[in-house]
Amino acid sequence: MPLRDINDLEKLKKINAALVSRVERSMDQQGNAFSLFQTAISLENRVRTRTEELHSTLRRLEQSNIDLSAAKENAELANLSKTRFLAAASHDVLQPLNAAHLSVSALAEVQTSDEGRKLVRQVERSLETMEDLLRTLLDISKLDAGVVQPDIGDVSLEALFSSLRSDFLPVAELKGLSLKFRPVNAVVRSDRTLLRRILQNILSNALGYTRSGGVLVGTRHRGDTIRIDVADTGCGIPDDQREAVFEEFHRGTSTANAELDGGGLGLGLAIVRRMASALGHPVTFSSKVGRGTIFHIDVPVGIGAPADAIASIADMERPRGYGLFGTKVLLVENDVEVLQAMTFLLGRWQCLVRAATSTDDALDMLGDTDWVPDIVIADQHLDGGDLGTATIAEVRDYLGRAVPALIVTADSSEAVAKAARAGGIELMRKPLKPAQLRALLAHLLA
């Protein structure tokens, strides 16, 4: 119906109200749509902003990872460089230290007065302390750099204990302490050298921190492992020092310890932890202040019999008599001071020495058919790039027999040890302990 045909005013009002309401709803809908549009734009902007912030954060994190990786690589290179430097420096330092050891030992043999012998012993102790510090710092550096590769094999605990007893019994007797090793017929899987160093350091600490009583070393089977116990009756370790004792240069602070004579460098247990970690041998301890300490080393059970050479090590380390009179020694050494000191010392032992500095010199010494060496002693690194192991091989080839031979070197690398073993050559590290050298010579010539 057209509006002009409507005469009822009320109807017109209702129609007008309906139209106004429709218009208002339409405007509200448009307003809501506009509001939603604005909200969507705002959210989109916020999402874009947050995305950009996230990308920026990820880029910074990526750069940080790159920087950290580079820093880690630089640190590892620096650590390896430090280890190489220490190895090279130690070799250079050990050479004159070895000469000093040999000279002092020779000097001790010509002393006739008590005062002279006392002064010589003081010098020997100082040299031994220098040697221990240098070797330990080098060992720690190598272990931290991860360049020590354990040579795992079957190790006879009886032979190892016998060797340690031979080393430490005089120390215990000097302090009036008892040192006992319980008999053991067992073989473990480990690196003999590293395991010996671990026990050596723990024993040294045990004797050093014990004033009365003594030290007992024993073993217990625990499934597929053997637990080695080193128990002492020393001053004990307080609870607040349980971790500190494994830190470098840490020494006990208890009253009992403060009264002890002498003292170590505080590096023994630091290197024990590193060596045990390299071997995978857990090291723990229990202790009571004033009562003593028991250290425990858990080592896997061995899978076979130990090598014959291992069983004879303890016997080799015991003197078998010093029948060196008239022994012909071919000495190959390129360090002048070491050569002079070694020649003088061997001469004091009534040996007949001919000295050379290289392979060619050594072979020239053999031109005299009336002089055939009973033993060859050679440094590993000689003049002209010659190696002592190769020199010994050429001397043996020239003589047509496997003359007993000994490599004496400051090079502590495993490569030298393997080369010596492959050639059937004994090996001693510089600085030499003259008494051990004399005992080994007697053993090789027996």
Side-chain angles (χ1 to χ4, degrees):
M1 176 185 293
L3 291 175
R4 62 176 179 271
D5 295 335
I6 300 175
N7 296 322
D8 188 344
L9 184 60
E10 289 301 323
K11 285 185 177 181
L12 289 173
K13 288 180 178 180
K14 289 180 180 180
I15 292 172
N16 182 61
L19 291 172
V20 169
S21 176
R22 183 177 296 176
V23 170
E24 289 176 346
R25 285 198 302 271
S26 178
M27 292 179 65
D28 288 342
Q29 290 174 353
Q30 291 178 2
N32 289 337
F34 182 71
S35 177
L36 288 173
F37 178 69
Q38 285 185 317
T39 301
I41 291 176
S42 176
L43 287 173
E44 184 180 0
N45 289 334
R46 290 170 63 184
V47 169
R48 184 182 297 111
T49 301
R50 293 293 184 269
T51 302
E52 290 176 354
E53 291 176 353
L54 180 60
H55 280 304
S56 178
T57 301
L58 289 174
R59 283 194 295 271
R60 288 197 301 271
L61 181 60
E62 183 179 357
Q63 185 60 45
S64 296
N65 287 336
I66 293 173
D67 293 341
L68 285 173
S69 179
K72 180 175 179 291
E73 184 178 351
N74 289 335
E76 290 174 348
L77 289 174
N79 205 15
L80 287 173
S81 296
K82 178 192 70 174
T83 300
R84 294 191 189 99
F85 169 77
L86 284 174
S90 68
H91 182 275
D92 292 340
V93 173
L94 287 174
Q95 286 286 74
L97 191 59
N98 182 57
H101 265 298
L102 297 173
S103 298
V104 168
S105 180
L107 181 63
E109 296 198 12
V110 300
Q111 292 300 311
T112 58
S113 67
D114 291 340
E115 186 64 24
R117 285 190 288 268
K118 181 180 178 181
L119 290 173
V120 167
R121 183 55 192 150
Q122 288 177 350
V123 174
E124 286 179 336
R125 281 197 296 267
S126 297
L127 291 174
E128 288 168 0
T129 300
M130 289 173 59
E131 177 190 350
D132 289 342
L133 177 59
L134 183 63
R135 288 195 182 280
T136 302
L137 290 175
L138 180 60
D139 287 340
I140 288 177
S141 177
K142 287 182 176 180
L143 289 166
D144 286 346
V147 297
V148 174
Q149 298 298 324
D151 183 12
I152 302 297
D154 288 331
V155 179
S156 166
L157 287 184
E158 181 58 38
L160 185 59
F161 285 2
S162 179
S163 172
L164 290 168
R165 183 190 297 111
S166 175
D167 285 351
F168 284 97
L169 190 57
V171 179
E173 291 175 345
L174 188 64
K175 296 188 65 176
L177 302 174
S178 67
L179 175 61
K180 297 180 179 178
F181 290 79
R182 285 179 176 165
V184 56
N185 183 21
V187 175
V188 295
R189 294 288 294 173
S190 185
D191 180 304
R192 186 186 189 280
T193 300
L194 294 181
L195 181 59
R196 191 184 194 283
R197 285 292 302 278
I198 289 173
L199 292 172
Q200 180 180 318
N201 286 358
I202 292 176
L203 275 168
S204 180
N205 266 20
L207 291 171
Y209 286 84
T210 300
R211 300 186 63 189
S212 62
V215 178
L216 173 65
V217 181
T219 60
R220 288 180 288 168
H221 281 270
R222 299 168 61 91
D224 58 353
T225 65
I226 290 180
R227 168 164 284 189
I228 304 173
D229 294 325
V230 181
D232 65 60
T233 57
C235 58
I237 300 172
D239 288 340
D240 60 357
Q241 294 185 25
R242 293 187 68 87
E243 283 301 316
V245 294
F246 291 103
E247 296 175 358
E248 295 89 346
F249 301 106
H250 175 86
R251 297 177 61 193
T253 57
S254 69
T255 303
N257 173 49
E259 295 174 359
L260 291 174
D261 295 332
L265 301 166
L267 290 169
L269 292 182
I271 200 167
V272 161
R273 170 168 280 185
R274 286 170 167 84
M275 287 184 173
S277 176
L279 291 171
H281 299 345
V283 174
T284 56
F285 70 87
S286 55
S287 183
K288 290 185 178 180
V289 175
R291 299 282 299 277
T293 303
I294 306 177
F295 273 87
H296 317 284
I297 307 101
D298 293 328
V299 189
V301 174
I303 58 177
D308 293 337
I310 293 177
S312 66
I313 288 177
D315 292 334
M316 182 190 71
E317 292 176 349
R318 299 192 194 98
R320 296 188 176 187
Y322 299 125
L324 301 181
F325 181 85
T327 298
K328 299 182 183 69
V329 180
L330 176 58
L331 177 62
V332 190
E333 170 65 67
N334 63 328
D335 186 285
V336 176
E337 292 183 355
V338 175
L339 185 66
Q340 292 175 346
M342 182 75 89
T343 301
F344 182 77
L345 183 64
L346 291 170
R348 292 293 304 173
W349 294 344
Q350 306 301 312
C351 295
L352 305 176
V353 183
R354 289 195 177 183
T357 60
S358 66
T359 301
D360 289 340
D361 285 347
L363 295 176
D364 288 342
M365 296 292 173
L366 304 178
D368 183 358
T369 56
D370 294 332
W371 194 89
V372 178
D374 299 308
I375 192 167
V376 181
I377 302 175
D379 188 6
Q380 175 65 359
H381 301 286
L382 303 168
D383 285 348
D386 291 348
L387 297 178
T389 47
T391 300
I392 290 171
E394 292 200 33
V395 168
R396 286 173 168 175
D397 185 61
Y398 182 90
L399 295 174
R401 66 184 181 89
V403 59
L406 169 65
I407 287 291
V408 178
T409 179
D411 187 340
S412 60
S413 68
E414 182 60 24
V416 174
K418 288 182 178 179
R421 286 196 297 269
I425 303 168
E426 295 293 335
L427 176 68
M428 293 190 76
R429 308 287 190 189
K430 294 179 180 179
L432 289 177
K433 290 181 171 57
Q436 292 181 0
L437 172 63
R438 193 170 183 176
L440 178 58
L441 293 179
H443 169 78
L444 292 176
L445 295 167

